[in-house]
Amino acid sequence: PATHPPKSEQHPARMSIPGRPPHSPASSSGDDAASMSLTVENLPALVNGVVSADRPLRFGLIGTGCIGREHLANMLLHPLATVVAIADTNADSLAMAEAMLRGAGAEAAARCESYDRDEDLLAREDLDVIIIATPNHTHFDVLEQAIPTGKHILCEKPLCTTVADCLRVAELHEAQPEGRRGLLWVGMEYRFMKPLERVAKELRAGSAGTLRMLTLREHRFPFLTKVNDWNRFNANTGGTLVEKACHFFDLMCYVNNLQTAPGSPRVLPVAVYATGGQAVNHLDESYSLPGRPGPARPDVIDHAYVLVDFDSGARACLEICMFAEASANQFEVSIVGDGGKLEAFMPSHGDKAVDPTEVNVRVATRADDLRSRAWRSARPPPVEYTKGRVRTFAEHPDPRLVAAGDHHGSTFVELHRIISAAGRGAAAPEVSIADSILAVACGVAAHESIDSGRRVLMRDVVDLDRLRGLFAAHDARVALEAERSA
């Protein structure tokens, strides 16, 4: 079995949930579990969808570090998830997860077995879904064991740290017999943040016209402390633009395809230019690593600009800074089309306060005479053509979902969609292997661009024809399922 430390970390600025001591795990007491309990009847209002599972699904969790425990907290909250097995090679992380189970009640603790080896959990026949939340560089080894079980899998991002390993995962998954091929879903939960869901809906509805420019900005805190400091080195993470920014490259590709007609080829990125480096964080740190003489210094970058050209002619930009935690918003998105502009704003991951009246989405539609270029003037347009065209919205998740993790309720929505997909026997996941390969490839291309100082063509990083084939197969399965259910 793969030997790995957990994805474990202490958040330096985690805000307390009322009634809970700082830094205690979510769902750590029976009172908390009771106050946060949900019913099947609650679910449609919380996730904007219907419940498609007729019974609770049995989950096994591999990796009980920070993100693993966030998944655990959300499974304990979801009435259609039953946690029956957890595994980790790190005793401390496993103990924290066991404490969460005890805090959720005697029944939750009694029905879940703990393992210190992945293979013992994977040998269980009673699992419906396996969640893999181990460090990035262990994903391939764990997936190599998990995929042949035929269980549905949620693998945390990135799928793997290299494009080659991602493609090997795709081949392994495709090689499974049809009846033994579970869904393989990769954790890109940013798609399911409420403000982003709203701007996606507005873009589909034509509120901004045809997409031309997309800007993503994350200003956040430095990488957190993790077990054995595995996240300080590119060899383990894939590099910051794979480890962290795969979320953003996934969003770029997802948003650029929101207006793609069913049955049409996917819009794909064709070139990447990036500049960035390690300016502030981890410069005074050094570590002793197995097999390496002398102290090893962290090599993960802490800031970058990344420009991405798409074959549709649209362009996207990522600005990431990991020493800018003193910001009103951690994450901001701007979508500009020929007919308008959409904006979404997300607070710091550590911010658990929810003000349901706070505006976090702006939708601006251009006036017809400006859009048609009929307007002419020697002066700037008046206010009725500028801020007078802006509508604002407050899109916030239920506070119980926010309290269960560090991703503003999106981890719960992702979990619910996986349960619904598995429960109805979906033909394909919403976040596919191809999506995940593309996100990793963009990150790899960005790092190559920083290292070389040149624009990098995506065809030199990943076989785009192979990706087109994977997307076409995925989309065909989705279309067939939709046709059968119509």
Side-chain angles (χ1 to χ4, degrees):
T3 301
H4 53 79
K7 279 191 170 178
S8 180
E9 57 197 25
Q10 287 91 40
H11 196 302
R14 188 186 303 276
M15 296 183 67
S16 300
I17 299 171
R20 182 181 300 154
H23 306 296
S24 66
S27 302
S28 60
S29 74
D31 290 343
D32 284 345
S35 67
M36 294 176 66
S37 62
L38 300 176
T39 66
V40 173
E41 290 73 24
N42 295 146
L43 291 175
L46 292 174
V47 299
N48 296 323
V50 298
V51 178
S52 302
D54 57 5
R55 64 168 177 83
L57 299 187
R58 297 175 294 267
F59 281 79
L61 172 64
I62 299 177
T64 56
C66 183
I67 192 61
R69 295 195 299 276
E70 179 168 329
H71 284 296
L72 179 57
N74 282 275
M75 287 187 282
L76 293 173
L77 186 60
H78 201 295
L80 290 174
T82 301
V83 186
V84 298
I86 58 174
D88 205 300
T89 57
N90 183 277
D92 291 340
S93 290
L94 198 59
M96 283 189 274
E98 290 168 342
M100 290 176 64
L101 287 160
R102 291 192 298 272
E107 184 179 350
R111 67 185 170 218
C112 183
E113 293 289 336
S114 297
Y115 302 96
D116 58 10
R117 299 194 314 165
D118 304 342
E119 62 185 6
D120 293 334
L121 182 148
L122 293 170
R124 292 183 60 138
E125 295 290 337
D126 61 338
L127 301 178
D128 296 304
V129 185
I130 298 165
I131 296 181
I132 298 171
T134 62
N136 303 356
H137 59 292
T138 69
H139 286 182
F140 179 82
D141 290 339
V142 181
L143 285 164
E144 193 174 32
Q145 300 174 72
I147 289 173
T149 68
K151 311 300 184 187
H152 302 303
I153 297 170
L154 167 62
C155 180
E156 260 301 327
K157 61 79 191 169
L159 178 61
C160 295
T161 58
T162 67
V163 173
D165 279 351
C166 288
L167 290 169
R168 289 169 67 198
V169 168
E171 292 167 2
L172 178 62
H173 189 255
E174 288 177 326
Q176 303 307 306
E178 190 68 33
R180 292 277 297 174
R181 188 187 305 148
L183 298 176
L184 176 50
W185 188 307
V186 179
M188 297 293 188
E189 70 278 358
Y190 278 50
R191 293 187 184 196
F192 308 123
M193 291 180 177
K194 291 269 294 186
L196 291 176
E197 287 189 317
R198 179 55 186 259
V199 295
K201 178 181 177 181
E202 294 285 347
L203 184 62
R204 285 194 189 100
S207 298
T210 301
L211 174 65
R212 298 302 183 194
M213 297 179 70
L214 169 64
T215 303
L216 310 177
R217 182 173 78 167
E218 185 177 55
H219 282 194
R220 57 162 283 169
F221 43 85
F223 279 128
L224 306 176
T225 300
K226 300 196 177 187
V227 169
N228 296 334
D229 302 291
W230 68 266
N231 65 332
R232 295 302 196 256
F233 299 96
N234 291 333
N236 297 334
T237 68
T240 300
L241 300 179
V242 171
E243 147 61 21
K244 185 72 193 77
C246 65
H247 274 308
F248 309 130
F249 297 128
D250 176 66
L251 284 175
M252 285 183 185
C253 298
Y254 169 68
V255 170
N256 267 279
N257 280 280
L258 288 173
Q259 297 179 319
T260 302
S264 299
R266 294 286 188 107
V267 173
L268 294 180
V270 293
V272 174
Y273 174 74
T275 180
Q278 185 181 11
V280 175
N281 296 341
H282 318 305
L283 297 175
D284 57 350
E285 300 174 15
S286 63
Y287 302 92
S288 297
L289 299 180
R292 289 183 58 171
R297 301 196 180 279
D299 58 0
V300 289
I301 67 172
D302 55 20
H303 70 287
Y305 290 102
V306 185
L307 303 176
V308 182
D309 293 335
F310 285 82
D311 57 13
S312 64
R315 292 177 173 82
C317 176
L318 168 64
E319 175 188 338
I320 184 169
C321 181
M322 302 190 66
F323 45 89
E325 66 285 339
S327 300
N329 302 301
Q330 178 170 321
F331 184 41
E332 301 179 354
V333 175
S334 169
I335 300 169
V336 182
D338 57 10
K341 178 180 179 180
L342 313 172
E343 295 177 281
F345 309 94
M346 278 64 66
S348 171
H349 285 352
D351 188 351
K352 303 299 183 186
V354 177
D355 176 359
T357 67
E358 182 180 3
V359 169
N360 57 5
V361 173
R362 292 201 290 255
V363 177
T365 304
R366 299 181 73 200
D368 289 343
D369 48 353
L370 268 168
R371 189 172 180 177
S372 66
R373 295 179 293 281
W375 182 82
R376 297 285 189 275
S377 175
R379 299 292 301 161
V383 67
E384 58 265 28
Y385 282 4
T386 57
K387 66 181 181 181
R389 306 284 303 180
V390 178
R391 294 175 291 140
T392 59
F393 303 91
E395 297 284 350
H396 297 278
D398 186 286
R400 290 169 294 184
L401 310 189
V402 176
D406 288 333
H407 295 87
H408 313 300
S410 62
T411 303
F412 184 92
V413 178
E414 176 183 65
L415 171 66
H416 177 77
R417 294 195 180 204
I418 292 166
I419 290 172
S420 295
R424 70 174 186 270
E430 289 186 54
V431 184
S432 69
I433 297 175
D435 290 314
S436 309
I437 296 171
L438 190 55
V440 169
C442 287
V444 169
H447 277 293
E448 287 189 9
S449 180
I450 290 173
D451 292 343
S452 67
R454 62 179 179 84
R455 184 171 180 259
V456 173
L457 299 179
M458 287 297 294
R459 69 187 185 205
D460 294 333
V461 176
V462 64
D463 184 343
L464 292 177
D465 288 336
R466 171 81 167 114
L467 273 184
R468 289 188 183 97
L470 288 172
F471 277 124
H474 173 273
D475 295 345
R477 288 193 293 270
V478 172
L480 181 59
E481 180 184 348
E483 182 181 315
R484 288 174 174 169
S485 63

